[in-house]
Amino acid sequence: MRMKKKFLYPAFILTFVTLLTLYGGSKVLADDVDGYPPIVQAIADKFGVDESDVTEVFDQERVRIQDQRQALYEQRLSEAVAAGVITQEQSQSISDKHKEYVAEMEAIKLQHRDEMQKWIGDQGIDQDKLMQYIGFGSGGNKMHMGMGSF
């Protein structure tokens, strides 16, 4: 029984972290991949500032939030180590696997977006005109939707 627990706890934590990443990470990645919704232009227009300045603020905030989430993630792993649930080596292994997983998910999302953009083009659809009707992002971010990216 003791041997089972030794393997179950790390497996449970890795599964939990993966599910948490799927849920939380997908929301973050949806915005990370293609840029921002038309809100950037709306804010720039409202306050009479350059759109690139607003984009810069959004970028800085995104990085701050990602750093904050990563720090919390590392803190929780440290707490698991301190509680004796996992070893430091297991914590590092989980952290490395998590980073690998996040990078894979981002690559898959980019590949999917590229495939969809090609498919839309192959269908002879004008993405600029289509986005007026179905809520795609702005300008160069042709395939960004509020619920995720194509």
Side-chain angles (χ1 to χ4, degrees):
M1 183 75 170
R2 184 158 176 79
M3 188 65 141
K4 256 187 173 178
K5 285 184 180 181
K6 183 177 181 180
F7 292 106
L8 283 178
Y9 285 131
F12 174 76
I13 289 173
L14 185 57
T15 301
F16 176 75
V17 167
T18 301
L19 291 174
L20 185 62
T21 300
L22 278 173
Y23 176 74
S26 65
K27 291 181 179 288
V28 173
L29 287 175
D31 288 334
D32 287 348
V33 172
D34 291 351
Y36 303 102
I39 190 73
V40 169
Q41 186 62 51
I43 291 170
D45 292 345
K46 173 80 175 176
F47 295 103
V49 296
D50 190 58
E51 184 176 350
S52 65
D53 291 338
V54 178
T55 300
E56 184 179 335
V57 170
F58 271 70
D59 287 340
Q60 289 170 351
E61 185 63 12
R62 181 185 331 153
V63 168
R64 186 190 69 76
I65 290 169
Q66 288 171 338
D67 289 348
Q68 189 177 35
R69 285 183 179 167
Q70 183 64 33
L72 180 59
Y73 180 78
E74 296 295 332
Q75 175 189 340
R76 289 180 176 162
L77 282 176
S78 293
E79 290 170 2
V81 170
V85 175
I86 58 175
T87 67
Q88 184 60 45
E89 293 78 22
Q90 290 169 325
S91 171
Q92 186 60 52
S93 181
I94 291 169
S95 181
D96 292 345
K97 188 65 172 176
H98 176 258
K99 289 174 187 172
E100 177 186 321
Y101 175 79
V102 169
E104 285 177 20
M105 291 304 296
E106 186 170 351
I108 289 168
K109 191 168 213 51
L110 288 170
Q111 178 184 356
H112 186 228
R113 183 204 60 201
D114 292 345
E115 289 170 2
M116 285 303 296
Q117 285 181 335
K118 182 184 179 320
W119 183 85
I120 291 281
D122 291 348
Q123 302 305 307
I125 298 169
D126 183 333
Q127 292 180 32
D128 290 326
K129 289 180 182 174
L130 180 61
M131 71 182 175
Q132 297 173 28
Y133 297 96
I134 61 174
F136 290 134
S138 61
N141 304 321
K142 292 181 174 88
M143 296 306 293
H144 177 23
M145 296 182 66
M147 49 187 196
S149 301
F150 276 128

